Structure formats: structure tokens, C-alpha cells
Amino acid sequence: MPMGYRSLGAALLAASALVAPETAMAQTAREQALEERLARLEAEMQTLRADLVAARTVQAETAAAASQAASASEQAVTRVAALEAKPTAPAEGFRVGSTTFKLGGFVKAVASATRYDDGMLAGGSLGKEFYLPQQIPVGGTSTRDFMANARQTRLFFTSSTPLAGKELKSHIEFDFALATAPPGAQRATNAYTPTLRRAFLTFDKFLIGQEWTTFQNPALLPESTDFVGPLEGTVFVRQMIVQYRQPLAKGLELHLALENPQTETVNTTNAALADNDQDRVPDLVAKLVYKQPNLDLHVAGLVRQLSVHDGGNDDDAMGWGISAGGKVAFGPDKRHDIRFSATYGDGIGRYLGLGYAPDALYDRIALGNRLLKVENFAAFASLKLGWTSNLRSTIAAGYQHADYPGGVIVPGLANVSAYSAAVNLFWSPVKNLDIGIEVRHAEREVANGLKGQMDRLEMAAKYTF
């Protein structure tokens, strides 16, 4: 090779050797930059993939929620349509401010045909309109009577007001049955005076006002076309009371009450009850009540002071009584039930049978200004048979006997004993409408040995609202 070419080749090789490291370094920096860019792209792709997955999840959840909402909407439309197809339920009462008022009661029409074996009842007597054993005539000849009225129709009003986390309630009730019929009432318009039955208020565990005596359990009275039914066999008093109720266990309650006192007496010559109205201490009553869905039991005790104060001559005596009763439902749909009650006491006559017998004998002269208490026993029992869901019968019987003090004169017409037995059939063609027919036989005996008997066929129609 010529000398000149060798020199040029050497120069080129030297230059290449100088440039090669720089070129290598430049290629390494670019590769690092590319790797960094690739890493960033991969991170961004991963982020995009995560966002895409989340977006698809949200879309799926939204679709499911939309489907559920559509289904719920269809169900709501179906329920609304079903509700609209039903008649609208009437409102329960009406509100004035924070107080809710309600009105209720029933219309009752009664017609009865009666035969008295031993006398006649005077016109306007309550015994013509419902069974009242003390008005069964004695010592006469047989008579017959027919009576129709709507006096047992009843109305009541209630109110309820929230107060301190509890309810302040009131109840006012009246009918037309116990007021003496005005002379000539049946002549044209049959107008009768409304009479107060119950008027009380309740708050928490307290009841104050005119209500059934705590000594009684009115839920035990058997179904009857009559105003009461076996009246001689039951406690039957409504009066002013202050009552406290204390739950003791599930279904078990203790009732304590102070009640209005009244001493009823007869003297040695007159069997008519005297309202002395000179009492000074309230009657005290305690009762245990046990209730379960098909069971209602009670036992009650009464302690009272009898008082007569007559022009400086006075006497007091301690009266007492005990009563127990129950109602037991059984059979298909619990359509049958047995009801019973028994009461015994000394000086408690006015609590039984609307005062069939007196609390005591009192005569300032003949008895030396002494109160002599009268013992009383009364009981009733009934069997209800539900033949179908709207057809039923009740068989009921009641009995009462009064024991007067021995060795003293007792007025000849003073009531000694009474009993009755009845059977009925009730039909309820529609809800709240009851149509019944009943046959009753009863007897009354007085102190001089006279007896009177009564047979009654009675029909009733009652609509409760």
C-alpha cells in the first residue's frame, strides 16, 4: 500500500476510536429514556384498565338497581291498584288539636210476652221491660203482658289525649233503660229520659269516675236478649270509684279501689229499701284478675262500713263479701264458652241483683236502734254453644238467697230467694247485627212464704256501631 493511503487509514481509525465511546454513551441514555417512557405507559395502561373495570362494575350495579327499581315500581303499582280496588276503611274517630274523639254504641229493640202466675205489675214498672226478680208479683192471680221498646239503646263518647308520654282518656256513656217510665209515655211518643251509665277518666294506672264496681266483672255476663240476664245471681253496681291497677305478672293484675258507700235497710214492718245516705267511710275493694287469650278469671274482696244516723240515734256495722268467677272459651274457633260467678257476704245486699235484698235490718224502736246484717249468697252459670260462625245459643241460670237475722221480726214481703233459667238462640246475618229469641222462667219467694212465678218469651234486634 502506498505510504499516503496508509497514513489516511491510520487517521480514520484513530478518529473512530475517539468517537465510539461517545456514541455508545448516547445510545445508552436513549435506551433508558425509552424504558422510562415504556414504564410510564404501562402504569397508565394499568390505571386505564382499573378505571375501565370500575366503570363496568358501576354500570352493572346501576343496571341491577334500575331493574330492582323497576320491579319495586311494578309491585307498588300492583299494591296501589289492589288498595284502590278495596273500599276505603272509615276513619277511627276525629281529631281536635291533639285529642282524638270517638262515638259508639248500639240500637236495640226488644219485644216480650210475659205471664205472671201470681199477680200484676203496675204500669211503668221496670220489671215489664227487663227481668227484675224483685218485681215478680206474689199473692195474686195469673196475668199476661206484652211490651215493646227501644230503651236499651246506648251511646258512648270517648277521648284520648297524649300527656307526658302516656294517654289521658275519658269515657261517657248513657242509655234510656233504668229511668222510671214517665206517665203516658206509651200513649203517643214513647219519650224517655237518658240516664248516665258510666263517666270516668283514666291516666296511667288510675281510673276516676263512675264505672262498674271493682267487685264485679261485667265481661262474665252471658249473652241475652234481656238487659242483664241472670240478674239475681250477679254483682251489678255502677258507682263513683277511684281505682288503681298494678300488673303483677304476665296476665295478672291487682285492682284496688275506694268506692262510694250506701247503706240499704228495711225495718220490721216495711220491706221497701231505705236509702240511708249517711255513710262516712268509702267501701274498699281489692281484686285479682288473670287473663289469657281463652281464659278470664277473678277473685275479689269487699270490706264496708254500714251506717245509720237517725236524729242522734245511730249504729254502725262492718260488712264484707267475697266474689269469684271466670270465663273459659273452647271448641272450634273458640266459639263455645262457660261463664260462672259466685258471691257470698254479710251486709252486701245492695251489690247483688240491683238490691234484691237489703244490707241490714234497722228499726230504732223494735230493734233497739241496731243494725242487723243480712247474709247473701248469689251465683250464676252459663254455657254458650257456637253452632256456626253466625249462629249460637246460650243456656244460663242464676240463684240468690238472703238469710235474715234469727229471733227478730222480718217484714212479710222481704225478698228471701229468687232463681231463673233461660235459653236463647242468636243469629248474626251480617257483622254487628244480632237477632235473638229467648225463653225465661223465674221464681221469687218472700219472707211470709208467698211465691211468684214468671214466664217470658222475648225477642231482640241489636245493631252495634
Side-chain angles (χ1 to χ4, degrees):
M1 178 180 293
M3 188 67 174
Y5 287 102
R6 284 195 195 100
S7 299
L8 179 61
L12 289 172
L13 287 171
S16 297
L18 291 172
V19 171
E22 293 180 359
T23 302
M25 291 177 64
Q27 289 177 344
T28 301
R30 282 197 297 272
E31 289 174 356
Q32 290 178 352
L34 287 172
E35 289 178 357
E36 290 176 357
R37 288 178 64 187
L38 286 172
R40 286 197 300 270
L41 287 172
E42 288 178 355
E44 291 175 357
M45 286 296 293
Q46 290 176 356
T47 302
L48 286 173
R49 286 174 182 171
D51 291 343
L52 181 60
V53 171
R56 287 176 177 173
T57 302
V58 170
Q59 184 179 12
E61 291 175 350
T62 304
S67 176
Q68 292 177 357
S71 176
S73 176
E74 291 177 0
Q75 293 175 1
V77 170
T78 302
R79 288 196 299 268
V80 169
L83 289 172
E84 289 178 345
K86 294 180 180 180
T88 303
E92 290 246 349
F94 61 92
R95 290 178 65 89
V96 177
S98 61
T99 302
T100 300
F101 296 89
K102 295 181 183 180
L103 167 67
F106 56 78
V107 176
K108 184 178 180 183
V110 178
S112 62
T114 307
R115 183 186 69 189
Y116 302 105
D117 285 353
D118 300 279
M120 178 185 295
L121 268 184
S125 299
L126 291 176
K128 288 176 172 282
E129 300 177 13
F130 62 91
Y131 172 54
L132 197 56
Q134 50 266 56
Q135 290 192 3
I136 296 176
V138 296
T141 59
S142 176
T143 61
R144 297 176 184 270
D145 195 358
F146 178 84
M147 169 66 70
N149 68 85
R151 293 183 63 188
Q152 295 176 33
T153 294
R154 187 174 304 168
L155 290 173
F156 70 81
F157 304 91
T158 65
S159 71
S160 178
T161 306
L163 181 63
K166 297 180 173 59
E167 293 287 327
L168 175 61
K169 299 181 180 181
S170 71
H171 183 105
I172 301 174
E173 179 179 298
F174 61 91
D175 64 11
F176 309 83
L178 288 181
T180 302
Q186 298 182 64
R187 190 177 306 150
T189 61
N190 287 274
Y192 299 104
T193 304
T195 54
L196 181 67
R197 286 175 52 85
R198 304 158 71 199
F200 61 86
L201 60 89
T202 61
F203 182 73
D204 196 13
K205 300 176 182 179
F206 289 91
L207 181 150
I208 302 174
Q210 179 164 306
E211 174 60 314
W212 295 107
T213 173
T214 311
F215 197 49
Q216 179 183 1
N217 186 351
L220 302 186
L221 291 175
E223 185 176 31
S224 173
T225 61
D226 188 70
F227 183 61
V228 180
L231 183 59
E232 68 281 280
T234 183
V235 177
F236 196 89
V237 171
R238 294 187 298 269
Q239 61 191 2
M240 175 64 190
I241 72 175
V242 177
Q243 184 187 82
Y244 174 78
R245 298 187 178 189
Q246 176 61 51
L248 300 178
K250 184 178 180 181
L252 182 65
E253 280 191 344
L254 172 65
H255 299 181
L256 300 174
L258 296 175
E259 306 196 3
N260 183 63
Q262 175 74 342
T263 301
E264 301 289 337
T265 60
V266 297
N267 62 33
T268 57
T269 59
N270 188 352
L273 291 181
D275 302 319
N276 292 280
D277 200 22
Q278 297 156 349
D279 300 270
R280 300 178 177 181
V281 179
D283 292 353
L284 174 62
V285 187
K287 178 167 68 175
L288 281 173
V289 178
Y290 180 71
K291 290 186 178 181
Q292 293 297 327
N294 305 317
L295 187 64
D296 188 342
L297 301 174
H298 82 272
V299 58
L302 165 68
V303 177
R304 57 192 308 242
Q305 184 186 64
L306 309 179
S307 297
V308 173
H309 300 271
D310 183 12
N313 299 302
D314 55 66
D315 193 22
D316 297 314
M318 186 66 68
W320 62 272
I322 186 169
S323 182
K327 173 183 174 183
V328 182
F330 64 98
D333 300 324
K334 308 305 177 184
R335 293 199 303 259
H336 314 322
D337 67 56
I338 296 173
R339 309 183 191 201
F340 57 91
S341 177
T343 306
Y344 177 78
D346 197 10
I348 62 168
R350 82 169 181 91
Y351 277 87
L352 300 170
L354 284 180
Y356 179 75
D359 297 321
L361 279 168
Y362 176 81
D363 196 309
R364 187 172 59 180
I365 299 175
L367 300 179
N369 196 44
R370 289 184 300 156
L371 270 170
L372 303 179
K373 295 176 293 182
V374 177
E375 293 184 13
N376 269 281
F377 172 77
F380 75 83
S382 71
L383 171 65
K384 175 185 174 184
L385 299 172
W387 306 114
T388 67
S389 59
N390 60 359
L391 190 68
R392 58 201 180 275
S393 293
T394 294
I395 303 169
Y399 173 78
Q400 181 176 355
H401 184 83
D403 283 324
Y404 292 85
V408 299
I409 300 173
V410 178
L413 294 180
N415 294 316
V416 172
S417 65
Y419 74 84
S420 70
V423 59
N424 60 45
L425 178 67
F426 272 88
W427 176 49
S428 299
V430 296
K431 184 179 179 180
N432 297 339
L433 176 61
D434 303 312
I435 299 172
I437 183 169
E438 181 172 280
V439 176
R440 179 178 301 276
H441 174 78
E443 181 177 289
R444 169 195 177 201
E445 182 179 0
V446 295
N448 61 12
L450 291 177
K451 297 181 180 180
Q453 295 185 337
M454 181 200 83
D455 293 284
R456 176 169 287 171
L457 174 66
E458 187 167 66
M459 294 165 285
K462 182 173 77 171
Y463 171 66
T464 303
F465 56 88

